Amino acid sequence: SVLELCRKAERVVLGSSGITEVLERCEDLPPQDVNFWANIQRSREILGWEPQTSLESGIAQTWEWMLRQ
């Protein structure tokens, strides 16, 4: 899910997932604002695409690249 992506990115950049945990507990936000879903299944089916890099590694590599810019 996109929420899981946010958690992983937050762990790479900040060392924790505290911000997304707060968002999940926030009762003022409707569930659809917190629970986004993304699925690569269509890319697999249509393009035959498979990721070559793990999500965590890709986030870390992107963050390191951004810091060097």
Side-chain angles (χ1 to χ4, degrees), residues 57-69:
S57 177
I59 292 169
Q61 289 175 32
T62 301
W63 181 246
E64 289 166 10
W65 176 83
M66 291 173 65
L67 290 174
R68 291 191 305 270
Q69 300 308 308

Side-chain angles (χ1 to χ4, degrees), residues 7-58:
R7 281 188 204 109
K8 290 177 187 221
E10 189 177 9
R11 277 187 228 120
V12 168
V13 175
L14 301 176
S16 75
S17 58
I19 295 171
T20 49
E21 289 170 6
V22 168
L23 283 176
E24 288 180 282
R25 291 191 305 264
C26 184
E27 294 181 13
D28 294 338
L29 292 175
Q32 66 268 21
D33 289 351
V34 176
N35 295 313
F36 296 101
W37 294 93
N39 189 327
I40 63 170
Q41 188 61 34
R42 300 259 311 157
S43 297
R44 287 182 173 126
E45 293 170 359
I46 296 169
L47 304 172
W49 177 82
E50 287 290 331
Q52 301 298 307
T53 302
S54 73
L55 182 57
E56 292 86 355
S57 177

